[in-house]
Each structure stands twice: as structure tokens, then as C-alpha cells.
């Protein structure tokens, strides 16, 4: 009996030791994972004392746009300086950031690991010491265009807040990332005195808004993936669709709609009907495949998490979610990525803000790693969604985004309600892209409380895309 008891105890001790070893291994693995994915974010945290210490000993590198225009530099006295033009400083303010680190997502803080020499090798530091040269951080060339950013700022509806994102969906470069209102990094006292204006927030990557009818891109893709016989789909829009204890409504009745008609006319009731066939499971799966509820771990920038509810709260909640209302939230950057995904035949890529990193010795440093393109929709479904987006711009709600001179625009408008009782003006959206290979630009426009997406956001998208073409970006 005693021998048996001792064997049991030994066995349990052995199991306990094995469990502790497994937990220890998992802890090490998680630590390695955290350092690999979050290390750069920890280094660039403005509250990191090493940042202020490094600024005393290292000359911070220069930041330029894609054309070489200097956006930020350090003068001989060690003072951080910005472009001499106030209009330029403000147009790129949230992208570049400020010297105090108040805009933690700006390049001056988020990429301090490069510009303050944290990534410099021992040999680079020895070279500086041998030549007696003060240590200098890396210079960064960004993918954005200062000229396009200034143009967007000038064209943005006066007095309104919002954001515009422009991507090259072939190279994955961010050509513009404008957020309104803006601030002047040389006058942070004024920016901090009016924090209610929210100028220190980059609405392109940090602003979470109901995407409204632009989310119908996701719902259409989900329906094409999961529901049979959609070519025979016919829905009689009477202006309202009762679901649960509520009704989804329209400004006016559309009559009998095919699936294509429902998309280009942005028929809320038809899409609410589709949602009931899809359910949270299928619609939620498509939304998550397209990046909702995902923690984007991009190497070049921080993008807040968009959200889609998958907790099966109610039938009416599901209906509202299918038209981008209720608890659905998205950033303008994410919606631009969705447009780029359709343009790329259903493959979602990581956006890039850094174009080149140059060391103090004139060498090139490797750009941050990124995930390879991920297929989230089949080519067939992406092609069908594109056809409907093209038709939307040609003859639907997005006609004011159309371009001339042989360029074809695919897009979707949205007018997202900002209050339950409609007492606050809707957010105006346009999401789309140019289909031509010689102008591979995807765009997302969001004007807070701007009203109609078709009349406010679409024209701004058209002007922006035309300017990008003219600049030959």
C-alpha cells in the first residue's frame, strides 16, 4: 500500500513538473512574440525615459515626403523643426506628429526607434566615434505626397471634421492620410489649449465611425459567398422593412429591386432582408475576413480596431449591422483597405507609410517587415462586387465620383446616421478606387456630420483622385 502511494505521489510530481515546464515555455514564447510584434511600439512610447535621454545625445533624423520635400528636421542647435510653410505643416501634422510626443501615432514618435538611432549597429556607432561625428539617427522618406495632402486640405468642406485616405493598391503605399481638423507642430500651445477640437487625433487611423452604406460592400460579398439563387433575387422595397420590434426605413420606396439594383440604389430594406438569411454567423465571418474585429499589427502605423457585433443580440441589430449602422464601427483607413482588397481581386495587403530609411552613413536600412497578401475573397466574388461598384458610380448613388478621360471609378457611398433620432447630421462617406492599371488609387472619404455621401463625399473623392492622376503619383 505504501509503495503504491509513493508511486502515485511521484507520478503527480512528475506531471506537475511537466506542467510548469510547459507554462515556462509558453511564457518565453509569448515574451518573444511580444518583443517581435510590440517591441517597436514600446521603444517609441513617448513616456519611455530612453526617448528623452536619447534626444539629448542623438541628432534626430530628417523626415521627407515621397518627392523629397522636407517635413521635419533637426537644426544645429538640436531643435526639432518643421516645414517653413504653415499650410504644409498642418496638412501632414497627424502623420508627422510633434516634438513633444503628444501625437503618439505620428512618425516623430512612432518611428523614433529609427530617427533616434536605436536601430544603429555597433559598427555604425563606432564609425561616428572614430570620425568624431555626433551620433545621428536615420532619415525617413514617407510614401505620402505633401502636394496631394495640401490639396485635400484645401478641398475639404470648410469647418468640418473627418479624414481622407488614398492608397496605391498595387504598391500598398499610403499616398495621403489627411485628418481634419489639423494643428501646427510649431505652435503646440494653441493645439493643447483647444483639445476639444480633436486636432491631435488622426481620424484616418484612430477615428471609429459607423460606416453606413459603404458596409454594403461587405454584406454583398457575404451574400454572394453564402446564399444561392441570387440572380433570381427580387425584393419589393415599400420604404420600410419590419424586423423584430423596429422597422428599417428608406427616404422613399424603390419598388422591385434586383440584387444589383439594391446595391447601386443603396436600398436599406433589401439588405436588411438579406441579413436575416445570412445571420450573424455568415455575415460576421465575412466581416472578420475583411478585417473587422482584427488587431491590425502593421509595421508602419497604428490602426485602431474596427468592430462588427457577432454576439447575436437581436434580429433588428443584425438588420442594422448589414447596412453599417448599430454597433458597426470602422476607421477610414480600414475602409480604404477594403476598397483596395476588391481592386486586388480579393487579396488584402498591408499599407505602407515608410518608403526608405537612410542611415547617417548614407546606407539603406531594411524596411519593417509586413504580412504577405492574404486572400479574403475569391476572385469571382471580388469581380462581381467590382461590377456593382462601377455601376454605382456610373448610374447609382455615386455618380459625382465619376472621372472623365477614360478612367473608370468603382465605389460606394454612405450616409451614416450619427444619432438615433436623426437630430444630428449624418456622416458622409465614399469608398472606392480607379480600376485603370495606370492609376491604381483606392480612396476613403469621411466627412463627419457632412450629410449625404453622394453629394458631399463623392465629389471630394473625385477631385482627390483627379489630383493624384495629375501629380502622377
Amino acid at each position: 500500500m505504501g509503495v503504491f502511494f509513493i508511486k502515485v505521489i511521484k507520478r503527480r510530481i512528475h506531471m506537475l513538473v511537466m506542467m510548469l515546464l510547459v507554462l515556462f515555455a509558453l511564457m518565453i514564447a509569448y515574451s518573444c512574440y511580444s518583443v517581435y510584434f510590440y517591441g517597436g511600439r514600446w521603444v517609441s512610447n513617448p513616456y519611455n525615459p530612453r526617448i528623452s535621454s536619447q534626444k539629448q545625445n542623438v541628432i534626430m533624423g530628417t523626415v521627407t515626403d515621397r518627392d523629397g520635400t522636407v517635413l521635419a528636421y533637426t537644426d544645429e542647435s538640436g531643435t526639432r523643426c518643421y516645414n517653413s510653410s504653415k499650410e504644409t505643416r498642418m496638412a501632414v501634422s497627424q502623420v508627422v506628429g510633434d516634438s513633444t510626443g503628444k501625437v503618439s501615432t505620428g512618425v516623430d514618435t512612432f518611428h523614433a526607434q529609427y530617427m533616434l538611432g536605436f536601430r544603429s549597429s555597433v559598427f555604425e556607432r563606432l564609425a561616428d566615434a572614430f570620425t568624431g561625428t555626433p551620433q545621428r539617427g536615420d532619415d525617413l522618406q514617407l510614401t505620402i505626397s505633401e502636394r496631394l495632402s495640401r490639396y485635400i486640405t484645401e478641398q475639404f468642406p470648410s469647418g468640418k471634421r473627418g479624414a481622407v485616405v488614398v492608397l496605391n493598391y498595387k504598391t500598398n503605399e499610403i499616398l495621403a492620410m489627411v485628418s481634419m481638423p489639423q494643428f501646427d507642430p510649431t505652435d503646440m500651445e494653441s493645439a493643447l489649449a483647444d483639445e476639444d477640437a480633436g486636432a491631435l487625433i488622426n481620424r484616418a487611423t484612430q477615428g471609429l465611425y459607423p460606416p453606413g452604406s459603404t458596409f454594403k460592400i461587405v454584406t454583398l460579398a457575404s451574400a454572394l459567398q453564402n446564399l444561392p439563387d441570387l440572380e433570381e433575387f427580387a425584393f419589393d422595397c415599400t420604404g420600410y422593412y419590419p424586423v423584430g420590434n423596429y422597422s428599417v426605413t428608406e427616404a422613399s420606396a424603390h419598388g422591385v429591386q434586383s440584387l444589383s439594383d439594391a446595391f447601386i440604389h443603396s436600398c436599406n430594406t433589401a439588405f436588411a432582408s438579406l441579413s436575416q438569411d445570412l445571420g450573424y454567423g455568415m455575415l460576421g465571418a465575412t466581416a472578420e475576413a475583411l478585417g473587422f474585429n482584427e488587431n491590425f499589427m502593421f509595421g508602419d502605423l497604428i490602426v485602431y480596431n474596427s468592430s462588427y457585433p457577432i454576439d447575436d443580440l437581436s434580429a433588428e441589430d443584425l438588420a442594422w449591422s448589414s447596412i453599417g449602422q448599430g454597433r458597426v464601427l470602422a476607421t477610414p483607413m480600414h475602409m480604404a483597405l477594403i476598397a483596395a482588397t476588391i481592386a486586388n481581386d480579393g487579396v488584402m495587403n498591408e499599407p505602407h507609410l515608410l518608403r526608405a530609411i537612410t542611415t547617417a552613413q548614407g546606407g539603406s536600412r531594411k524596411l519593417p517587415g509586413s504580412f504577405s497578401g492574404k486572400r479574403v475573397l475569391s476572385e469571382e466574388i471580388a469581380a462581381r462586387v467590382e461590377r456593382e461598384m462601377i455601376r454605382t458610380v456610373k448610374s447609382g448613388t455615386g455618380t459625382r465620383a465619376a472621372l472623365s478621360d477614360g478612367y473608370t471609378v468603382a465605389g460606394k457611398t454612405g450616409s451614416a446616421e450619427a444619432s438615433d433620432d436623426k437630430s444630428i447630421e449624418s456622416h458622409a462617406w465614399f469608398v472606392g478606387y480607379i480600376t485603370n492599371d495606370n492609376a491604381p488609387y483606392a480612396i476613403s472619404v469621411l466627412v463627419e456630420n457632412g450629410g449625404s455621401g453622394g453629394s458631399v463625399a463623392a465629389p471630394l473623392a473625385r477631385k482627390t483622385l483627379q489630383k493624384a492622376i495629375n501629380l502622377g503619383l
Side-chain angles (χ1 to χ4, degrees), residues 64-236:
T64 60
D65 83 333
R66 65 186 297 108
D67 298 317
T69 301
V70 175
L71 306 178
Y73 64 97
T74 303
D75 67 13
E76 294 179 356
S77 69
T79 302
R80 193 63 171 164
C81 304
Y82 298 88
N83 191 280
S84 59
S85 164
K86 182 178 180 180
E87 288 75 18
T88 293
R89 292 196 302 269
M90 295 188 72
V92 299
S93 56
Q94 289 91 355
V95 176
V96 175
D98 66 293
S99 60
T100 65
K102 297 298 182 184
V103 182
S104 61
T105 59
V107 168
D108 259 7
T109 298
F110 187 67
H111 288 297
Q113 55 184 310
Y114 295 109
M115 290 188 293
L116 286 174
F118 287 106
R119 292 296 183 113
S120 298
S121 68
V122 173
F123 298 105
E124 289 169 343
R125 295 177 190 180
L126 284 174
D128 288 337
F130 182 76
T131 59
T133 305
Q135 189 181 349
R136 194 178 189 284
D138 299 333
D139 294 333
L140 302 184
Q141 183 181 33
L142 307 184
T143 60
I144 65 165
S145 163
E146 172 267 342
R147 291 182 294 171
L148 181 60
S149 300
R150 279 185 60 163
Y151 178 80
I152 293 169
T153 299
E154 293 164 359
Q155 299 300 317
F156 204 87
S158 177
K160 291 293 186 181
R161 305 179 183 188
V164 176
V165 176
V166 183
L167 304 173
N168 181 318
Y169 58 80
K170 294 296 185 186
T171 64
N172 309 316
E173 293 179 327
I174 301 170
L175 303 178
M177 187 165 56
V178 174
S179 177
M180 303 293 289
Q182 300 163 337
F183 69 94
D184 186 345
T186 67
D187 184 15
M188 291 304 293
E189 188 175 335
S190 297
L192 294 171
D194 189 19
E195 286 194 73
D196 289 342
L200 301 183
I201 298 171
N202 187 343
R203 284 169 163 76
T205 57
Q206 296 175 283
L208 289 166
Y209 305 90
S213 290
T214 61
F215 189 82
K216 288 171 184 169
I217 296 171
V218 179
T219 307
L220 175 61
S222 188
L224 292 170
Q225 278 181 320
N226 296 294
L227 302 180
D229 303 323
L230 285 179
E231 295 306 320
E232 299 173 8
F233 177 87
F235 181 84
D236 187 6

Side-chain angles (χ1 to χ4, degrees), residues 233-365:
F233 177 87
F235 181 84
D236 187 6
C237 172
T238 61
Y240 70 95
Y241 177 75
V243 54
N245 298 318
Y246 300 90
S247 292
V248 175
T249 58
E250 300 281 357
S252 59
H254 292 119
V256 177
Q257 302 280 289
S258 67
L259 183 64
S260 178
D261 293 336
F263 186 83
I264 72 163
H265 297 145
S266 203
C267 181
N268 290 338
T269 58
F271 275 80
S273 169
L274 283 172
S275 75
Q276 303 306 296
D277 294 327
L278 288 167
Y280 279 102
M282 289 186 284
L283 184 51
T286 305
E288 290 189 333
L290 285 164
F292 284 85
N293 302 333
E294 180 175 337
N295 183 16
F296 287 123
M297 287 303 301
F298 297 145
D300 287 7
L301 70 163
I302 293 175
V303 179
Y304 281 21
N305 300 345
S306 298
S307 59
Y308 178 83
I310 55 173
D311 51 3
D312 197 10
L313 184 65
S314 65
E316 55 264 30
D317 188 60
L318 172 61
W320 286 115
S321 75
S322 70
I323 58 175
Q325 295 286 169
R327 294 180 292 153
V328 184
L329 295 172
T331 62
M333 174 60 76
H334 184 196
M335 295 310 295
L337 286 176
I338 289 176
T341 298
I342 303 300
N344 280 321
D345 302 323
V347 175
M348 180 173 279
N349 294 307
E350 177 175 341
H352 295 299
L353 181 60
L354 298 185
R355 197 176 197 209
I357 304 173
T358 305
T359 68
Q361 293 73 31
S364 296
R365 200 176 301 286

Side-chain angles (χ1 to χ4, degrees), residues 342-403:
I342 303 300
N344 280 321
D345 302 323
V347 175
M348 180 173 279
N349 294 307
E350 177 175 341
H352 295 299
L353 181 60
L354 298 185
R355 197 176 197 209
I357 304 173
T358 305
T359 68
Q361 293 73 31
S364 296
R365 200 176 301 286
K366 185 179 179 181
L367 293 169
S370 62
F371 67 74
S372 57
K374 179 173 64 173
R375 176 160 296 284
V376 295
L377 295 174
S378 70
E379 288 188 38
E380 294 76 17
I381 288 176
R384 172 63 189 275
V385 174
E386 177 177 90
R387 289 199 299 272
E388 304 307 344
M389 291 173 70
I390 290 173
R391 192 174 172 219
T392 298
V393 175
K394 284 187 174 180
S395 59
T397 60
T399 53
R400 295 188 183 185
L403 293 170

